[in-house]
Amino acid sequence: MKFRFLLWALGLLMVRASRNNPEFQQQLADKALTFQLQTADGKIARHYIVHEQRVRSVAGMVEAPAFAIAFKDAAYGFATLQATNKQLAFMQGIQNKDIQIKGNPALVIWFQDLTRYLKPRKKG
């Protein structure tokens, strides 16, 4: 349940950033694609549609995403996406075959870079 909620919250953050964050919008320029995050068995999945510098989030799987990141299970996916050093967690997961990448790996790197704009703003 935590993984499903995290995927939903990630979508909400991306939707907001695509409306309000010029740096995030710049990363979406010239992109029109759908990608998804899921468990390996496909029981939990959410896909994200990038179109005209906006993001939409939809529950479930989509046929033929530009890329998909499949985690071995929901607990592992949650832990990886919440890791302090996400890049290291992803690299280890891919090496151990606990994370499978389907589709264009360059877009996975683009997505990981995109997530740095989703950190909550510090109140000052």
Side-chain angles (χ1 to χ4, degrees):
M1 194 63 172
K2 290 194 296 188
F3 183 59
R4 191 181 310 263
F5 178 76
L6 182 62
L7 295 182
W8 172 83
L10 180 65
L12 186 65
L13 288 172
M14 286 194 289
V15 167
R16 273 199 195 137
S18 75
R19 288 190 190 129
N20 307 322
N21 185 330
E23 294 156 327
F24 188 87
Q25 290 169 343
Q26 190 62 41
Q27 297 297 314
L28 301 178
D30 304 326
K31 293 274 191 279
L33 58 95
T34 300
F35 65 92
Q36 86 188 5
L37 303 177
Q38 66 183 78
T39 54
D41 62 10
K43 288 184 179 170
I44 299 174
R46 189 161 199 92
H47 62 278
Y48 307 89
I49 302 160
V50 178
H51 184 70
E52 294 180 357
Q53 291 185 297
R54 292 286 188 263
V55 176
R56 242 180 52 216
S57 168
V58 183
M61 295 179 75
V62 66
E63 201 172 312
F67 73 89
I69 302 173
F71 300 93
K72 72 175 181 177
D73 59 34
Y76 186 82
F78 183 82
T80 303
L81 292 173
Q82 290 293 299
T84 307
N85 187 340
K86 288 176 187 54
Q87 205 159 15
L88 179 63
F90 263 92
M91 295 306 274
Q92 287 175 334
I94 291 166
Q95 280 181 330
N96 299 340
K97 302 204 181 335
D98 293 330
I99 298 175
Q100 301 213 326
I101 307 292
K102 299 168 190 158
N104 186 338
L107 289 173
V108 174
I109 294 165
W110 165 80
F111 168 69
Q112 288 181 309
D113 192 43
L114 191 66
T115 60
R116 71 187 168 116
Y117 295 101
L118 302 178
K119 294 186 177 24
R121 297 199 180 232
K122 303 260 190 264
K123 293 186 177 162

